[in-house]
Amino acid sequence: DPDMPFVPSIPEDQFILVEEGDPAVIPCRTSDPDAQVTLVNSLDKSVHALYDTKQGFIGNFPAGSYTCKTMVKGVEFKSDEFLIYIIRATSQLPVEIEALKTVYKTGETIVVTCVVFDNEVVNLQWNYPGKVKEKGLIKLDDIKVPSQKLVYTLTIPEASVKDTGDYECTARHATKEVKENKKVAITVHDKGFVHLEPQFSPLENVNLHEVKNFVVDVQ
């Protein structure tokens, strides 16, 4: 089609996610398989790469925006802009789960964090007793310095006895069939369960050099 030398691309094709060190495909395909196509970067400088008429340009490209150009009867045509984003994603999926404490009283706030190391894009799901009622608040912090880690924080406000149980996070690799899950057991009590009985008065006197013992019964 001389009026449309580049096959129209869908938005999903224009955003290219590629793992660090892996080759990528910039899918600017032409309606004429014999067309001469040039790839340029955001500075309008030519980029040398292998061109496949059925796929597009193939190579290891730095992150940034790219556009394809071709000439039809002396008229220059440009393709849509393609954006390459480089992600850090190791083949392993190191995950750690942490709880500020594992025993709570009714009314307190439960906080559990799940940390994914050395991977920028993962799918993470929580399973916990209050999930059906969507009781938990989830926050994500993407930390890049001094090393890459994703910190997912699950907060359960106004905890009740029904929030007792296993808190589990499952992380899935964005591009590989790898998953890892960790869990921690949380207990919520209806009221405090430690009783203290001091065997002394609120105010005690002691003589100089006297050794005095203070005894507390703990139940």
Side-chain angles (χ1 to χ4, degrees):
D1 182 354
D3 295 322
M4 189 171 289
F6 287 107
V7 178
S9 58
I10 58 175
E12 288 81 357
D13 287 341
Q14 292 172 240
F15 186 79
I16 303 163
L17 207 62
V18 59
E19 289 183 27
E20 198 172 41
D22 284 356
V25 176
I26 298 175
C28 52
R29 296 172 294 122
T30 56
S31 57
D32 176 6
D34 296 323
Q36 297 298 310
V37 186
T38 303
L39 179 66
V40 296
N41 59 21
S42 57
L43 301 175
D44 206 33
K45 291 186 177 180
S46 296
V47 178
H48 297 289
L50 174 67
Y51 185 70
D52 184 316
T53 56
K54 294 181 180 180
Q55 296 185 67
F57 284 99
I58 304 168
N60 291 83
F61 305 105
S65 66
Y66 295 85
T67 309
C68 301
K69 294 181 178 181
T70 189
M71 298 287 289
V72 178
K73 296 179 180 178
V75 179
E76 184 180 77
F77 286 84
K78 289 184 178 181
S79 70
D80 293 321
E81 183 182 38
F82 297 93
L83 297 172
I84 290 184
Y85 181 67
I86 308 294
I87 62 169
R88 180 171 174 78
T90 59
S91 56
Q92 301 299 316
L93 201 55
V95 177
E96 288 183 5
I97 193 168
E98 299 173 352
L100 294 177
K101 55 183 182 177
T102 56
V103 178
Y104 291 84
K105 286 193 300 182
T106 295
E108 291 186 321
T109 299
I110 298 173
V111 178
V112 182
T113 59
C114 193
V115 185
V116 182
F117 298 90
D118 299 326
N119 284 268
E120 283 189 278
V121 182
V122 298
N123 298 314
L124 188 130
Q125 290 182 325
W126 286 98
N127 280 309
Y128 55 96
K131 184 176 181 179
V132 176
K133 295 183 178 180
E134 297 183 348
K135 191 174 181 181
L137 306 173
I138 299 171
K139 184 182 75 167
L140 168 62
D141 292 310
D142 186 354
I143 299 171
K144 298 186 183 299
V145 178
S147 59
Q148 172 65 45
K149 63 181 178 180
L150 299 172
V151 181
Y152 297 84
T153 304
L154 172 67
T155 304
I156 311 289
E158 295 291 324
S160 69
V161 175
K162 293 181 179 179
D163 292 308
T164 294
D166 288 337
Y167 285 69
E168 182 179 43
C169 67
T170 303
R172 288 181 171 81
H173 204 291
T175 58
K176 298 181 176 66
E177 291 298 320
V178 180
K179 75 172 184 176
E180 185 72 31
N181 70 311
K182 293 290 176 70
K183 66 180 178 180
V184 62
I186 300 287
T187 304
V188 182
H189 292 278
D190 187 38
K191 58 184 178 180
F193 54 89
V194 176
H195 184 63
L196 303 178
E197 279 189 22
Q199 302 299 312
F200 48 86
S201 305
L203 178 64
E204 291 280 346
N205 296 314
V206 60
N207 295 321
L208 185 64
H209 302 307
E210 179 186 356
V211 175
K212 193 159 190 174
N213 292 323
F214 295 86
V215 178
V216 180
D217 286 340
V218 183
Q219 297 177 356

